[in-house]
Amino acid sequence: LVSRPRGAGCSGRLAGAAPRRVDRLALMEGLGPWSGDPVEGPELLEVATQQLLYKKRRRAPCYPTLEEAAEARRQAGDLSPEAAMTLARRGTRKIGERWAWRTDPRLTYRSPLYLTEEQVCAFLDRINAPALLIRGETGLDSPRQLWEERASRVSAMELDTLPGGHHLHMDQPAPVAERIARFFRDHPRKSD
């Protein structure tokens, strides 16, 4: 499996839930899902429910130009102007004279429920495949990720930090691709 943050959360759970089915695991900017404080659970569910009910009636924003759509995406996250334009070219569609993102706006909603950190660690403890976690030097940094603690739970974990931010695969694709390729060469599939 090769995954980025949102996918890294799913991949970490999958590799822990079905450890015999995952031969290798390469992750970028994420190791397991975001965890939550159980005390915050009811409030998070309330916020997520309100988003679902309120935003269901709203339309996704449209932009007069492709460049303005790219700039809005760049401002929403850690992206270079070039990476934002790449995403805008492949992720928008023209509706009349305006540009709209094709992505489902619900992807920006809060999650209604989070696992506790203990639950996340229970999944990570079961991962027995060789694993690689690539982080950007200026990537995600959240007290909820507990990177080192989580990495220590995976028995065969390699950690690597590369120049770049959260979207280092878009801003520095060659070093990221080389690091992942080397990991897969060093850890061939069991059936290879």
Side-chain angles (χ1 to χ4, degrees):
L1 293 173
V2 177
S3 297
R4 288 219 347 98
R6 201 175 294 250
C10 295
S11 297
R13 279 187 301 214
L14 173 65
R20 290 181 296 282
R21 297 189 55 110
V22 177
D23 286 337
R24 307 168 292 182
L25 183 63
L27 307 166
M28 283 193 324
E29 285 286 299
L31 178 55
W34 292 92
S35 62
D37 183 338
V39 174
E40 296 172 355
E43 185 179 330
L44 290 173
L45 181 57
E46 178 186 23
V47 169
T49 302
Q50 290 300 318
Q51 283 182 321
L52 187 62
L53 293 174
Y54 171 69
K55 292 194 176 187
K56 188 175 186 181
R57 293 175 287 216
R58 287 184 56 195
R59 291 179 165 210
C62 290
Y63 301 91
T65 66
L66 184 63
E67 292 74 19
E68 288 180 61
E71 179 58 19
R73 180 61 186 91
R74 188 193 68 73
Q75 289 181 11
D78 173 30
L79 281 173
S80 68
E82 297 80 17
M85 183 54 80
T86 297
L87 287 177
R89 283 190 188 106
R90 72 174 186 223
T92 60
R93 65 178 177 210
K94 196 161 186 188
I95 300 173
E97 295 299 314
R98 298 179 68 79
W99 294 87
W101 288 96
R102 290 183 232 246
T103 55
D104 187 335
R106 291 175 292 187
L107 290 172
T108 64
Y109 292 8
R110 292 293 306 256
S111 294
L113 298 171
Y114 289 86
L115 297 175
T116 65
E117 188 62 23
E118 292 78 16
Q119 289 173 311
V120 172
C121 288
F123 282 93
L124 298 176
D125 287 342
R126 289 176 41 104
I127 297 172
N128 56 25
L132 168 67
L133 171 59
I134 299 173
R135 296 196 56 216
E137 287 176 342
T138 60
L140 286 179
D141 191 23
S142 166
R144 294 272 169 98
Q145 276 291 335
L146 306 170
W147 297 104
E148 290 75 22
E149 166 64 23
R150 286 185 176 197
S152 73
R153 303 283 211 167
V154 180
S155 60
M157 174 62 74
E158 296 177 30
L159 296 170
D160 207 342
T161 303
L162 297 177
H166 179 59
H167 297 278
L168 69 156
H169 65 294
M170 294 188 70
D171 292 326
Q172 301 288 331
V176 172
E178 167 47 36
R179 182 60 183 101
I180 292 171
R182 182 169 21 111
F183 172 73
F184 285 134
R185 279 193 307 272
D186 292 348
H187 302 283
R189 292 179 55 193
K190 294 173 187 171
S191 60
D192 289 349

